Amino acid sequence: MAALCESFTLCGLGPGGGVGLDGGLLALEPGPDRDHVLLTDRGRTATLFKVSDQKPLGCWSAKHGQIITCPVVCNFETREYIAVHDDKVLRIWKNTDVNLDKVFKATLSADVYRIHSLPKGGPVVLFKGGGVRTLDVLLEAPQQEIENIISDEVIKWSEAFMERQQPVLIFATEKNGDSFVYVQKLKMNDLHKYKLERQELSKALSFTAYMKNQIITLLCLSSNDSVYKFLIPLQQNTEEEEQVLPRSLLLNLSVSGSILKGTSFVVLDKDHIAVLGSLATAGEESKECLTIWNTKFQTLQTSKELPLGTSGQIWCYEKKFFFTHGKVLTVVMYKCETSSLAAAVGKLKDSQAPDVSSFVDWNTLGDEELVISFQSQQSVALKPESTMTLRSKKNTVAKVQPDTLSVGQLLLNLKDASTTVFENELRQVMSKGQMPDFQATIGCVVTALINRCKANPKYYPRNFLLQIVQNQDLSYSLCPDLMVVALEKKDLHLLQICLQRFPDIPEEITYACLKAFLSISDAYLQRIDLNLESVICYLDVEFNGKEVKTEIVENGFSTELEQDIWETKITKKHHGTSDGESCPVGPQKAALLNAVLHSAYSETFLLPHLKNLPAQQAVLFLRYLYYLYVKCSEKINTTLPGTCPPTVNQIMDWLCLLLDAQFSVMVMLPEAKELLSKLHKFVRAQVRFYSELNKIEGSLRELQRLNHQKDPHTYSVEVLELI
């Protein structure tokens, strides 16, 4: 069984990228480390991305007038990058290089078609005339003559493998409608040419291949909406110059009267392939989509519509698809399981329920669907005669003991039960911690509670939900509507706990919580029971008339000596920092904002939401972040005391993010100008302070070295003068 999982945008594309066969990227190759990919556009730029962070790690461009004609690859042995621009100019550089015009350059004697980099075999260069060289051999004499072995043929595709510690290169060519395949073993200088059996009135659109047991399996996507397979043994004893490879039909790309006009495809495993193309149905407009097919049972496993169009290209690395969708590069994760007939028709029932449950969205399931879903995932302990509900037993099914029912059936039976019975039964379900797929069960319980809240607005089991979130390892994806309902009910304590414990909260929900926290008055928050452990150790507040003071330790510099920098008279005030800045919010709101600071986020997705934050709330949030920053700077280790307070890195990241989103608004607000000026002066003072520390670093190291050389049992008095 194959499934398409979550998707996200890796990056936007430039003017040359996007829809159409001439758009998109030149290529996408694996980077030097896991989770890294190299993007080469159809121009002069190559970019290294970390996929999980959607973050560029490096970007290199050729000069104006130069065009990168060969996809950039990574030499995995030296961790260098290799590119070819203007067909013949080879460039090699390291990650620290910035200007490609100043890196290693070699002009070759022939046009390069592609460079393939093998993890244990080094880079292999394929020229447009069919000649092949390893990079080491080529660099010994860049102007060496390269043979032309394919005459009038044009290379359409190539790939490289490692077989018994030697590189093997395979490439396909085309001439007058005929397709040919060349296989070359580099170390043995062994070249074989094959002609592919031709299908009348069709042509090859795309190729891919894989190797197993010294046999290359070549797959060909044909214009007649089929995928063909060719087997090429590496061990050849025949002396024939050109053998004809027979073809066998692997897959017909049609289902229920619809035909997929494929443009490119990739192999996922021995039983699954992914095809990108347009699904055409008679009388309807064709729709571009990504599909996964089971070649063993000739079935379409799953598909995803792509309404914004694609460039027709697809790449696959580390269980992820990469393709252009509109003007962005989209990443879609997928999952393939062992192929079986039950899985192919969607009737698989096995012991791998926890893996399947991670793709179940409980919020989208109705009561009956919950029953079906849980029956497919859990072992139901019903007696044989009770697995079917006969008409005569219809009215007595609710009396069956809960221990004999699956969770889905239990929830269906409790649909109309009273609140007390409903919650008591759910508590019994939660007490069975050893049941299989326990976390999915808890997610289903929370969803059932939320569904009842939606059906009855007066019902809201605040304490029950709070108990579940505090005692169970939940995530946002297991109960996606929980925080939405908590926002509607203004359940601030539950939102605080969710922000602290859920690792996968969407940025939209994080922003909604931030906006809600900033909009609620401190007077209202004083009546709310919240967890204040993250603030009571550094925020000077009064509890029950008892003052709680924090110790202030100056971070190595005197405020009196810095008055020329601050340009303000500094006085210490009660409830404030060493520079006279008092906390702009109360302890309850500070605790809520700290929970937001702890939540995980992606700058790419959070920044658009922060731009919509009202100006007054943005200024208030900036004041609080500034207050925290000053508080951190008072401590020698820049760490706030208490239980899970915000770290200085979290504070700085949010400061930068908020200023990026709201800077144009901030500079126009009179109340924000003074704050920005103070922030600028404080950062400048910190930079000067750390600069002074850096100057005495050598003296401190020398002092440490001298201390190690002394006899610890001797006594001496020394005077060190720091100049």
Side-chain angles (χ1 to χ4, degrees):
M1 186 68 180
L4 293 172
C5 309
E6 58 267 31
S7 63
F8 56 89
T9 297
L10 181 60
C11 64
L13 301 176
V19 181
L21 296 178
D22 295 328
L25 301 169
L26 183 61
L28 185 145
E29 296 283 340
D33 300 301
R34 287 183 60 84
D35 198 35
H36 291 182
V37 292
L38 272 168
L39 276 62
T40 308
D41 65 20
R42 294 183 181 274
R44 58 189 188 92
T45 304
T47 309
L48 176 67
F49 272 91
K50 185 173 182 181
V51 179
S52 59
D53 292 346
Q54 301 105 57
K55 177 181 178 181
L57 303 178
C59 184
W60 304 273
S61 295
K63 290 196 307 183
H64 284 284
Q66 298 175 345
I67 298 177
I68 297 179
T69 52
C70 177
V72 177
V73 298
C74 176
N75 186 339
F76 300 105
E77 296 177 341
T78 64
R79 298 180 71 84
E80 295 175 323
Y81 303 102
I82 310 165
V84 175
H85 64 79
D86 303 319
D87 294 318
K88 294 183 179 180
V89 183
L90 184 73
R91 295 281 189 177
I92 302 176
W93 71 94
K94 293 183 179 293
N95 202 39
T96 54
D97 293 320
V98 177
N99 190 346
L100 286 192
D101 198 39
K102 297 181 179 180
V103 302
F104 175 83
K105 172 184 176 182
T107 302
L108 309 178
S109 62
D111 292 350
V112 175
Y113 173 76
R114 193 71 180 261
I115 299 177
H116 293 281
S117 186
L118 298 168
K120 296 182 180 179
V124 178
V125 183
L126 172 64
F127 292 87
K128 291 184 178 180
V132 181
R133 298 287 190 277
T134 62
L135 183 64
D136 293 340
V137 172
L138 189 61
L139 292 179
E140 291 176 359
Q143 284 294 311
Q144 62 185 273
E145 184 179 353
I146 306 298
E147 66 277 6
N148 189 335
I149 63 175
I150 63 174
S151 60
D152 297 331
E153 300 167 24
V154 178
I155 299 179
K156 294 295 184 180
W157 166 86
S158 63
E159 188 57 87
F161 307 97
M162 287 296 295
E163 175 64 23
R164 294 186 177 180
Q165 298 184 345
Q166 69 165 321
V168 177
L169 187 73
I170 175 174
F171 60 94
T173 65
E174 185 182 44
K175 178 182 178 181
N176 299 328
D178 291 322
S179 295
F180 303 89
V181 172
Y182 295 80
V183 178
Q184 180 163 1
K185 301 177 184 177
L186 272 70
K187 289 186 178 180
M188 301 173 59
N189 197 22
D190 185 16
L191 177 67
H192 289 276
K193 179 181 180 181
Y194 306 90
K195 181 178 181 180
L196 302 184
E197 182 183 351
R198 185 175 179 180
Q199 174 72 21
E200 294 297 330
L201 303 178
S202 67
K203 65 176 183 177
L205 299 178
S206 179
F207 294 93
T208 190
Y210 61 91
M211 183 185 301
K212 185 178 181 181
N213 299 328
Q214 292 195 322
I215 295 178
I216 297 176
T217 301
L218 176 68
L219 304 183
C220 173
L221 176 62
S222 177
S223 60
N224 64 355
D225 313 316
S226 300
V227 178
Y228 294 98
K229 179 172 69 174
F230 302 87
L231 299 180
I232 309 173
L234 284 182
Q235 301 295 337
Q236 291 287 343
N237 299 320
T238 178
E239 298 296 330
E240 295 182 31
E241 288 189 3
E242 181 180 298
Q243 302 179 55
V244 178
L245 290 177
R247 62 180 174 83
S248 59
L249 180 64
L250 179 69
L251 181 66
N252 194 344
L253 300 176
S254 62
V255 56
S256 302
S258 299
I259 298 176
L260 181 67
K261 300 290 183 181
T263 55
S264 60
F265 71 122
V266 290
V267 175
L268 307 183
D269 58 24
K270 65 184 182 68
D271 294 327
H272 296 92
I273 64 172
V275 184
L276 187 67
S278 300
L279 195 61
T281 305
E284 296 182 10
E285 185 178 355
S286 61
K287 302 175 182 177
E288 289 197 60
C289 58
L290 170 64
T291 58
I292 297 181
W293 299 75
N294 187 309
T295 57
K296 185 176 182 180
F297 297 109
Q298 304 285 301
T299 56
L300 174 64
Q301 294 285 275
T302 185
S303 66
K304 178 182 179 68
E305 276 193 31
L306 306 172
L308 300 181
T310 72
S311 65
Q313 305 162 292
I314 186 171
W315 298 272
C316 179
Y317 296 112
E318 298 177 354
K319 297 289 185 179
K320 300 180 184 73
F321 295 123
F322 300 81
F323 55 88
T324 60
H325 186 210
K327 289 293 184 179
V328 299
L329 180 65
T330 298
V331 182
V332 177
M333 290 182 273
Y334 71 91
K335 178 182 178 182
C336 283
E337 296 176 349
T338 303
S339 182
S340 65
L341 184 58
V345 298
K347 299 296 184 181
L348 181 63
K349 289 185 180 181
D350 58 17
S351 60
Q352 298 178 348
D355 292 336
V356 178
S357 67
S358 63
F359 297 98
V360 175
D361 184 356
W362 304 111
N363 189 48
T364 62
L365 299 179
D367 294 312
E368 290 79 7
E369 290 171 304
L370 279 171
V371 175
I372 298 172
S373 176
F374 266 85
Q375 284 178 340
S376 66
Q377 297 181 64
Q378 296 179 313
S379 56
V380 182
L382 292 174
K383 296 179 180 179
E385 63 271 16
S386 64
T387 55
M388 293 180 58
T389 303
L390 301 178
R391 185 176 300 177
S392 60
K393 296 184 178 181
K394 182 176 180 181
N395 296 326
T396 61
V397 66
K399 299 180 181 179
V400 181
Q401 293 298 322
D403 290 342
T404 65
L405 295 176
S406 71
V407 176
Q409 290 172 320
L410 178 62
L411 292 176
L412 184 60
N413 293 341
L414 295 174
K415 183 177 180 180
D416 299 321
S418 65
T419 299
T420 303
V421 173
F422 181 72
E423 293 186 5
N424 288 339
E425 292 293 343
L426 293 186
R427 283 189 170 89
Q428 289 185 20
V429 171
M430 292 174 54
S431 65
K432 303 171 185 177
Q434 301 300 321
M435 68 170 57
D437 208 3
F438 182 66
Q439 292 306 115
T441 300
I442 299 301
C444 191
V445 168
V446 174
T447 300
L449 289 168
I450 296 302
N451 289 339
R452 176 165 282 216
C453 292
K454 292 179 179 179
N456 181 11
K458 295 182 179 180
Y459 173 72
Y460 183 67
R462 180 182 181 277
N463 294 331
F464 193 12
L465 290 172
L466 197 61
Q467 176 190 353
I468 295 175
V469 175
Q470 287 178 324
N471 297 331
Q472 306 296 335
D473 292 328
L474 290 176
S475 64
Y476 180 89
S477 55
L478 280 175
C479 43
D481 273 355
L482 174 61
M483 295 186 70
V484 176
V485 173
L487 280 166
E488 293 175 356
K489 302 290 185 179
K490 292 187 177 181
D491 191 346
L492 303 181
H493 194 188
L494 181 60
L495 290 172
Q496 181 190 26
I497 302 301
C498 290
L499 286 167
Q500 292 172 341
R501 298 178 67 91
F502 288 3
D504 57 345
I505 301 174
E507 285 76 3
E508 181 181 4
I509 300 297
T510 302
Y511 166 75
C513 292
L514 173 63
K515 186 177 179 181
F517 297 162
L518 291 170
S519 63
I520 297 175
S521 66
D522 286 326
Y524 175 82
L525 288 174
Q526 289 179 357
R527 305 193 301 266
I528 305 298
D529 181 22
L530 295 172
N531 184 352
L532 301 181
E533 291 182 354
S534 68
V535 300
I536 58 175
C537 289
Y538 69 83
L539 196 66
D540 297 334
V541 295
E542 291 185 3
F543 292 96
N544 299 324
K546 296 182 180 180
E547 182 181 340
V548 180
K549 294 183 178 180
T550 58
E551 177 189 3
I552 296 178
V553 181
E554 300 297 340
N555 194 0
F557 64 93
S558 170
T559 55
E560 296 179 359
L561 296 177
E562 295 293 332
Q563 285 187 5
D564 60 323
I565 299 174
W566 290 93
E567 299 174 356
T568 57
K569 183 178 179 180
I570 298 175
T571 58
K572 294 186 179 181
K573 298 180 180 179
H574 180 54
H575 302 273
T577 63
S578 60
D579 73 321
E581 183 74 19
S582 61
C583 184
V585 299
Q588 289 80 11
K589 184 171 291 188
L592 293 174
L593 294 178
N594 286 355
V596 173
L597 298 183
H598 276 291
S599 62
Y601 65 89
S602 167
E603 293 182 8
T604 304
F605 300 121
L606 183 58
L607 191 62
H609 295 295
L610 283 181
K611 291 180 179 179
N612 299 324
L613 191 66
Q616 299 302 322
Q617 294 182 12
V619 172
L620 178 61
F621 190 33
L622 184 62
R623 288 187 185 278
Y624 180 63
L625 292 172
Y626 170 65
Y627 170 81
L628 289 179
Y629 181 45
V630 175
K631 269 290 185 181
C632 284
S633 302
E634 292 173 351
K635 298 296 179 181
I636 295 176
N637 58 359
T638 65
T639 301
L640 293 173
T643 304
C644 294
T647 65
V648 67
N649 287 339
Q650 290 172 336
I651 297 166
M652 289 299 296
D653 288 343
W654 275 92
L655 261 174
C656 296
L657 194 61
L658 184 61
L659 289 174
D660 286 344
Q662 295 278 335
F663 187 75
S664 59
V665 177
M666 294 288 183
V667 295
M668 299 299 293
L669 290 175
E671 58 268 35
K673 289 182 180 179
E674 181 183 359
L675 178 60
L676 292 176
S677 177
K678 291 169 66 177
L679 180 60
H680 168 68
K681 293 170 184 175
F682 186 80
V683 171
R684 189 172 61 181
Q686 290 293 92
V687 171
R688 181 174 297 184
F689 166 65
Y690 286 113
S691 177
E692 294 298 324
L693 281 182
N694 190 48
K695 292 178 182 178
I696 65 172
E697 181 182 7
S699 300
L700 294 176
R701 286 183 178 176
E702 180 66 16
L703 178 61
Q704 185 180 27
R705 186 182 68 81
L706 292 174
N707 287 336
H708 284 303
Q709 293 177 352
K710 294 177 182 177
D711 185 351
H713 300 292
T714 62
Y715 174 79
S716 64
V717 177
E718 297 184 17
V719 178
L720 298 177
E721 183 178 357
L722 299 178
I723 301 176

